[in-house]
Amino acid sequence: MRAVVVDRLGAPDVMELRDVPAPTPGPGEVRIEVEAVGINFADVLAVAGEYLTRTRVPYTPGMEFAGIVESLGEGVTGVQVGQRVAALGGSGALARYATVNAAALIPVPENLSGPQAAAFPVSYFTAYHGLKTLGRGVSGEWVLVQAAAGALGTASIQLAKAMGMHVIALASTEEKLALARQLGADVTLLQDDPDRVRKVRDAAGGRGVPLILEVVGGKRFQESLDMAAAQGRVIVIGNASREQANLRPVELMKRNLTVTGLWLTSLMTDHAATAEAARALSALVGSGQVTPQVGPTYGLADSARAFQDLLDRKTTGKVIIEP
Ligand code: NDP
């Protein structure tokens, strides 16, 4: 079968399309015919060797995907051959077939297409945990969403609005801000607006923002603290700038701020939190209240270009690769 293979870590152009043997499902695993792969910023970092876990080469990238169950390994129950599923595995999805532990399958509401299903797990579970599980956002409260037109950003706006929250969206271009408004953002601002800290604080009633989803990091992390309201919660979800941030604990003390880290991979081991998120998200997606935003779609041979476009901030919604 055709698969993308990475032999050495680096920029996206290290990815090569090759013929490799199709994987066989081991005990507890299922083999899936891949329909669509959702590309995350984490995939780009993993290929560069800069992700939170060590990338072992050679490997086939692709952690989030949707497809049709093609065969079952020993001992798998509760999954049918022919069923459409989404999956959140470690890697291996940029290929015709991928195997994944049955425990990593995510129920997908029937009204989603393959690409929409592939755009769902990472962004929506992360947005839910950021806004609700860890962020404890409530109806009527303001939330700041950075990189608002991206995969996580669009999911966060939709979920926040469904929760009755008011959204301030930051993004790098007017086109991206227009998408944020279309999804329900109440206030939109260019992320390089020279007066952005004051404008964000003013938008949230002059007192700053009670909940901030921080995904850029570096010097922007300090800005997030400056934009936060007293007793505000800053949920650290990403570091798209790939720069180090400084944190002075005394500053948190002075304004009673809370900074909380969020990594979906480790939060998935909290089965109660995952089940609660799955229940809430299935209801919202099933009723059409939120719809995964499918972004630009590429073929397997254009995988390197897809990764580079995500890195170059050219994309909105979830970047999809269809093998
Ligand atoms: P996106 O689709 O949001 O794409 C990344 C976006 O980040 C860009 O479009 C860009 O938006 C913004 N950005 C800001 N600064 C930079 C920069 N210096 N270089 C590149 N991009 C920049 O990707 P994802 O939805 O996959 O991820 C968004 C963030 O959330 C990432 O930091 C990612 O690592 C994190 N994340 C973390 C998870 C977790 O479990 N902790 C799970 C999912 C995502 P703009 O042009 O508008 O600035």
Side-chain angles (χ1 to χ4, degrees):
M1 67 169 189
R2 290 188 335 148
V4 170
V5 179
V6 171
D7 279 329
R8 63 192 165 87
L9 303 177
D13 61 7
V14 298
M15 298 197 288
E16 284 181 15
L17 194 56
R18 300 231 188 103
D19 270 321
V20 302
T24 318
E29 291 184 336
V30 298
R31 184 160 86 165
I32 295 168
E33 185 171 2
V34 180
E35 286 182 300
V37 185
I39 305 303
N40 292 286
F41 206 77
D43 290 298
V44 178
L45 295 178
V47 169
E50 292 179 21
Y51 192 49
L52 295 173
T53 49
R54 190 167 152 223
T55 311
R56 292 171 200 281
V57 289
Y59 90 115
T60 291
M63 59 179 74
E64 175 182 43
F65 61 104
I68 306 296
V69 175
E70 191 258 353
S71 60
L72 307 178
E74 205 185 304
V76 174
T77 53
V79 185
Q80 313 293 324
V81 169
Q83 185 182 343
R84 173 179 281 147
V85 290
L88 197 46
S91 59
L94 284 176
R96 186 97 197 94
Y97 296 99
T99 53
V100 67
N101 195 296
L105 298 180
I106 307 232
V108 178
E110 281 181 6
N111 56 334
L112 295 189
S113 67
Q116 285 174 327
F120 172 67
V122 170
S123 303
Y124 282 80
F125 276 80
T126 304
Y128 185 88
H129 290 315
L131 289 164
K132 187 96 179 162
T133 317
L134 300 176
R136 310 212 177 281
V138 292
S139 178
E141 213 177 23
W142 283 92
V143 59
L144 178 74
V145 175
Q146 300 173 332
L152 178 62
T154 53
S156 301
I157 294 172
Q158 290 184 55
L159 273 183
K161 293 311 294 177
M163 287 167 62
M165 300 185 77
H166 307 303
V167 175
I168 303 170
L170 293 181
S172 61
T173 67
E174 288 294 349
E175 291 74 15
K176 290 184 175 186
L177 294 181
L179 174 61
R181 279 192 294 275
Q182 193 187 314
L183 293 171
D186 300 277
V187 176
T188 57
L189 263 179
L190 285 171
Q191 69 147 16
D192 284 332
D193 186 307
D195 203 14
R196 56 192 176 269
V197 173
R198 184 190 62 79
K199 286 182 179 170
V200 165
R201 291 189 65 85
D202 283 356
R207 299 206 189 102
V209 192
L211 177 60
I212 297 184
L213 305 184
E214 162 64 53
V215 301
V216 181
K219 61 182 184 309
R220 299 280 173 165
F221 175 72
Q222 178 59 48
E223 280 189 18
S224 289
L225 298 184
D226 295 342
M227 290 169 178
Q231 297 184 38
R233 293 98 66 206
V234 179
I235 313 295
V236 176
I237 307 179
N239 188 39
S241 68
R242 297 156 97 175
E243 291 165 3
Q244 290 298 319
N246 290 318
L247 175 63
R248 292 187 313 122
V250 70
E251 191 177 341
L252 307 183
M253 208 171 91
K254 274 189 198 159
R255 291 194 296 131
N256 300 288
L257 299 177
T258 303
V259 176
T260 303
L262 189 175
W263 188 30
L264 183 63
T265 304
S266 56
L267 209 45
M268 294 290 281
T269 61
D270 181 335
H271 299 298
T274 301
E276 164 58 27
R279 253 195 313 275
L281 289 170
S282 301
L284 288 169
V285 178
S287 66
Q289 266 181 284
V290 304
T291 308
Q293 295 297 298
V294 173
T297 301
Y298 305 77
L300 206 55
D302 286 327
S303 295
R305 189 160 59 83
F307 276 50
Q308 192 62 52
D309 286 350
L310 180 58
L311 194 54
D312 291 343
R313 305 161 80 159
K314 289 182 180 164
T315 65
T316 59
K318 177 80 75 173
V319 173
I320 295 290
I321 294 179
E322 290 178 331

